[in-house]
Amino acid sequence: MKILDGKKVSNDIKDEIAAEVSKMKQKGEKVPHLAAIIVGNDGASRTYVNSKVRACERVGFESTMVRMSSTTSEIELLEKIKELNEDDSVDGFIVQLPLPPQINTQQVLMAVDPDKDVDGFHPTNFGKMSLDMTSFIPATPFGILELLERYDIPTKGKHTVVIGRSHIVGRPMSILMGRMGFPGNSTVTLTHKYTKNITQITSQADIIIVAVGIPHFLKAEMIKDDAVVIDVGITRVPDETAEKGYVITGDADFENVKKKTSYITPVPGGVGPMTIAMLLKNTLLARDRHRLRQNL
């Protein structure tokens, strides 16, 4: 069993990006600029956005944090998005989810300029990704692809089972694992809460990507020997014996599942760190595209 160390790989990627940014600075070029809009005071969202800002500092990006109150209207948020769409100094931006109930999330995501949509959530980017065209891949699936590639895990002809069908992870992951090239060329089964006999399906899988948000959902008896397990889940589970009063748990029963795997991602330290690294990579790609357009 080998651990897929997302923390190490994400640090490698950040070092590579920092080297690229350093070259830009030496040439007197504009460095990438990532903006983030956060609406309300959700603790997890604030923590996540702050970690993105720190990551920008580390690699030499410019970053802007736009804080808006929890009473912000949908019209006010759409006006702010329009501002960022038209701001040539901003290469890419994200709208941190979840949004307050008075705001239609889909309307907001549709309003982001696809060329600045470094989260990869806009239908234009999702559609291009589905057709193997150049697009921004959502950061978490992009991070999983990068882990598979850097650990040189064979995917061609393999049976990949994806558990969960969210627009952010499960559905794009099922498309990406079946695409031409590497990582890809696998036979994909997409499962969800209505899937019958799920153990029968997962026990035939060479690669399992689990993203259901249910702690310890994937049990050892659900996988075959030497399977590759990518655990996207991250849930705070109350634990009075822990210093913080909770433990961070993935969707796989790690201690038991790991004994049967060839590779597995830990939680924390697996897919999580990769998500921010690939958001930075998407921002770098956005900057490169903007520069090419400006030179034409």
Side-chain angles (χ1 to χ4, degrees):
M1 185 274 297
K2 288 184 182 174
I3 294 287
L4 294 170
D5 189 344
K7 200 169 181 183
K8 180 193 177 298
V9 174
S10 70
N11 282 328
D12 290 345
I13 292 166
K14 286 173 189 171
D15 288 343
E16 292 160 14
I17 293 171
E20 288 287 317
V21 173
S22 179
K23 286 178 193 170
M24 287 180 187
K25 286 179 178 173
Q26 285 169 12
K27 292 177 185 174
E29 294 174 357
K30 175 190 169 300
V31 300
H33 182 178
L34 174 66
I37 300 175
I38 181 165
V39 185
N41 296 305
D42 180 77
S45 292
R46 274 210 315 274
T47 301
Y48 193 44
V49 171
N50 286 337
S51 62
K52 289 171 180 174
V53 170
R54 285 196 302 274
C56 284
E57 286 171 4
R58 173 175 166 180
V59 299
F61 284 9
E62 283 184 45
S63 66
T64 299
M65 171 97 76
V66 180
R67 296 181 187 275
M68 304 183 79
S69 79
S70 57
T71 57
T72 297
S73 70
E74 188 175 307
I75 289 172
E76 287 170 323
L77 179 54
L78 290 173
E79 283 172 356
K80 180 54 69 176
I81 289 170
K82 186 171 183 285
E83 245 178 70
L84 292 176
N85 282 342
E86 294 170 356
D87 185 345
D88 288 339
S89 74
V90 174
D91 296 297
F93 68 94
I94 62 156
V95 180
Q96 185 63 41
L97 304 179
L99 292 168
Q102 74 272 19
I103 296 173
N104 182 320
T105 299
Q106 200 56 54
Q107 285 290 104
V108 165
L109 296 180
M110 288 280 288
V112 177
D113 180 348
D115 283 336
K116 294 190 177 188
D117 168 40
V118 288
D119 258 338
F121 293 163
H122 194 284
T124 296
N125 281 318
F126 198 98
K128 284 182 173 180
M129 177 199 73
S130 303
L131 296 169
D132 288 339
M133 296 168 69
T134 300
S135 69
F136 294 118
I137 298 172
T140 299
F142 198 6
I144 293 168
L145 293 179
E146 197 78 11
L147 274 177
L148 292 170
E149 185 173 342
R150 293 197 182 219
Y151 278 90
D152 201 23
I153 293 170
T155 58
K156 185 179 178 182
K158 301 294 183 182
H159 182 196
T160 296
V161 171
V162 180
I163 309 174
R165 55 180 172 178
S166 74
H167 296 168
I168 294 171
V169 181
R171 203 169 297 181
M173 211 62 240
S174 67
I175 294 166
L176 292 163
M177 290 302 289
R179 69 181 181 170
M180 300 280 283
F182 174 69
N185 280 323
S186 68
T187 301
V188 182
T189 303
L190 178 62
T191 65
H192 46 78
K193 65 182 177 182
Y194 296 114
T195 301
K196 294 178 179 177
N197 304 321
I198 194 164
T199 297
Q200 194 179 334
I201 297 167
T202 56
S203 61
Q204 296 172 19
D206 302 301
I207 301 167
I208 298 174
I209 299 165
V210 57
V212 287
I214 302 171
H216 293 177
F217 176 85
L218 187 71
K219 308 288 187 190
E221 58 267 24
M222 294 172 71
I223 70 169
K224 69 178 185 179
D225 289 340
D226 292 329
V228 176
V229 172
I230 308 289
D231 188 349
V232 185
I234 182 159
T235 307
R236 288 183 179 185
V237 177
D239 184 343
E240 290 176 7
T241 64
E243 189 181 331
K244 294 180 178 177
Y246 64 85
V247 289
I248 300 290
T249 306
D251 288 352
D253 179 8
F254 183 81
E255 290 305 321
N256 294 308
V257 167
K258 72 176 183 181
K259 297 167 188 170
K260 292 179 74 175
T261 61
S262 54
Y263 292 90
I264 187 169
T265 57
V267 176
V271 174
M274 294 298 297
T275 299
I276 291 180
M278 302 321 283
L279 179 70
L280 297 175
K281 195 157 186 176
N282 272 344
T283 306
L284 182 64
L285 291 170
R287 172 70 198 100
D288 288 344
R289 287 182 203 167
H290 295 160
R291 188 168 64 232
L292 281 173
R293 272 205 305 277
Q294 286 160 6
N295 288 342
L296 289 175

